[in-house]
Amino acid sequence: MREIKFRAWEKERKQMVDLFKITPLALDPDLEVDGLFIPFDDRYKLMQYTGLKDKNGKEVYEGDIVLIPSYYKEIILDDGSGPSYDEPQICEVEMLDGCWGVKIDNPDELFDRGFYSFFKIKNDITDDPIEIIGNIYENKDLLK
């Protein structure tokens, strides 16, 4: 079973925050808390853990920017030889219709434009693991 975890981006200080360090008093000294429920306001952007880890063992969260290997070999001779292309995709992790994956904006030989679940990527496209290279709050320029 997948572990349900979150992290948060604190907009004002522009940094990732460990949710275990966010207390009701840190949010607002006058805040009324009902049991374990802490109402977050728009100072924080919550991001959910996907249940996956990248090739380095780092947990993959919504909003992470990942590098997906995209290796294509064009077989032009009977011996299976031909030119190869290594153009990895750089994408933001997101959820669509209950599935974690990425949206491809720059199609190549392996990927058409559109949403790809991590299940589809691993089973139909490449078995090579993804790698986290940043997140959308600290490294937005990686997506350009």
Side-chain angles (χ1 to χ4, degrees):
M1 180 173 206
R2 178 174 70 86
E3 185 176 9
I4 307 296
K5 294 172 37 171
F6 292 88
R7 68 180 184 193
W9 174 253
E10 187 177 356
K11 295 176 185 177
E12 187 175 305
R13 292 192 296 169
K14 298 186 185 317
Q15 65 183 20
M16 285 297 172
V17 179
D18 181 350
L19 289 185
F20 295 108
K21 294 181 181 175
I22 297 176
T23 64
L25 292 178
L27 291 172
D28 183 351
D30 300 321
L31 189 66
E32 291 186 29
V33 179
D34 178 20
L36 295 176
F37 176 72
I38 300 173
F40 280 88
D41 58 23
D42 62 351
R43 289 181 282 180
Y44 297 92
K45 174 64 178 152
L46 290 178
M47 292 165 277
Q48 189 173 1
Y49 173 48
T50 64
L52 302 173
K53 293 186 178 181
D54 79 346
K55 74 179 199 174
N56 300 310
K58 192 172 176 185
E59 295 177 340
V60 179
Y61 280 82
E62 173 182 16
D64 279 338
I65 297 173
V66 295
L67 184 137
I68 301 171
S70 183
Y71 181 81
Y72 174 76
K73 183 171 184 175
E74 189 175 349
I75 298 174
I76 56 174
L77 299 176
D78 289 340
D79 67 357
S81 64
S84 61
Y85 309 94
D86 189 10
E87 297 183 22
Q89 290 284 344
I90 296 176
C91 313
E92 175 187 347
V93 174
E94 51 189 67
M95 182 185 276
L96 180 67
D97 296 332
C99 291
W100 290 108
V102 296
K103 184 173 64 174
I104 302 293
D105 291 325
N106 301 309
D108 61 17
E109 294 293 335
L110 294 177
F111 292 95
D112 291 327
R113 188 178 313 273
F115 181 82
Y116 287 80
S117 70
F118 287 126
F119 179 81
K120 180 166 183 59
I121 291 169
K122 182 167 179 56
N123 290 314
D124 296 346
I125 298 174
T126 179
D127 197 27
D128 292 335
I130 63 172
E131 179 180 11
I132 298 170
I133 58 173
N135 65 67
I136 60 170
Y137 299 102
E138 297 170 302
N139 315 99
K140 190 119 179 125
D141 56 315
L142 292 174
L143 293 173
K144 294 180 180 172

